[in-house]
Amino acid sequence: MRVVVWSTGTVGRHAIAGIDAHPDLELVGVWTSTADKAGKDAGELADLGRDLGVAATNDREALVALKPDCVLHAAMTDDRVVESIEDLTWLLRQGVNVVSSGPVILVHPWQALPDEMVEGIIQAGRDGGASLHVNGIDPGFANDVLPLVLTSLSQRIDHVRVSEIADYSTYYQPVVMSDLFGFGRPMDYEPFLWAPGVLSLAWGPVVRVIAAGLGITLDEPLTEEVERRPAKRAVETVSCAVPEGTMGSVRFRVIGKVDGVERITLEHVTRTDAESDTDWPRPNDGDGCYRVEITGEPAMKLEFSHHGENGDHNVSGMIVTAQRLVNSIPAVVAAEPGLVSPLDLGLVTGRGLVSR
């Protein structure tokens, strides 16, 4: 299958490597928003140490003219949700299937976006005969597909909790870290992410996917809880400085209730100092993990941790985000036109990637 990678940042560069390594996929084009990257070989942009014979471009019409089977869209969307939806809808109208890491609101947009906007995306896919699937690792696989698979072992489910527990000091996303989370900012700084309703837009879709997978209807609106704490000591992250006394960590929850009873909880414990906030949950292994906890019969707990060859969990976080999309491409290309939910995909595996 012929694939275009849309953006070459922290996820896109790993998507290039993943497509190059996949025997059933061929990289035919790369889009970049950065003028300095236009004309550079994809292998150089992905730090592969060799050329792939595919030059990056900022001409999206030229990429569509390549007749790709799929675009892997890995552009930053957190600060341009509306614009990115317009880009994705345009690709669908051109007849191009898309797998994308964002905007995460499209993981399950019902209740989060106006019905006419959702229907417009679906109709664009039908008009172009193309499918769109949005999912990453978090929001995504680690807190929707993985917990739903685990619930298949349940006899009774009282509560499902999904968590990301991580040190973000090596996570390179300056806009996310400083502007959206507010790390390194004064404690009275009020970033957009903590405004009422925003967490439900960003992480609420995966709570609703779990609910849909379990066949329950949640009370609306979802419940949000946020606790922020100042840094006890100055730290330097790869994205921003965090002086002592500025915002250094946050714990937030998005809670889905049924008749007032908590049934699904999404929780994040995010630190910029791995040694801080010892009273908050910590990974059992390393500095980052995803955790699924199901209370009921039986009670179950699953911890999913990862790290790259260099030992860093934030680098491997970008790899697993990219690879979930890479390995989903065949299923999305084969899907019916429109919006493809995580519940629609079936079993996605690393087929073809066993070392030879």
Side-chain angles (χ1 to χ4, degrees), residues 77-97:
T77 61
D78 293 345
D79 59 346
R80 51 184 308 275
V81 172
V82 173
E83 295 88 345
S84 61
I85 290 176
E86 291 172 352
D87 289 339
L88 297 174
T89 304
W90 179 81
L91 286 166
L92 291 175
R93 289 199 186 99
Q94 309 311 304
V96 181
N97 298 290

Side-chain angles (χ1 to χ4, degrees), residues 5-15 31 37 45 74-75 173 318:
V5 170
W6 191 284
S7 105
T8 59
T10 53
V11 174
R13 59 190 296 271
H14 294 297
W31 182 86
K37 291 183 179 180
L45 295 174
Q173 279 288 6
M318 300 302 102

Side-chain angles (χ1 to χ4, degrees), residues 4 9 25 31 34 49 56 90 107 113 123 128 136-137 140 175 177 181 212 217 226 257 268 285 311 313 328-330:
V4 164
L25 304 176
W31 182 86
T34 306
W90 179 81
V107 169
L113 290 176
Q123 190 59 49
I137 292 299
V175 172
M177 291 286 287
F181 274 83
T217 301
V226 181
K257 300 179 180 179
H268 262 231
D285 179 35
H313 64 282
S328 297
I329 288 173

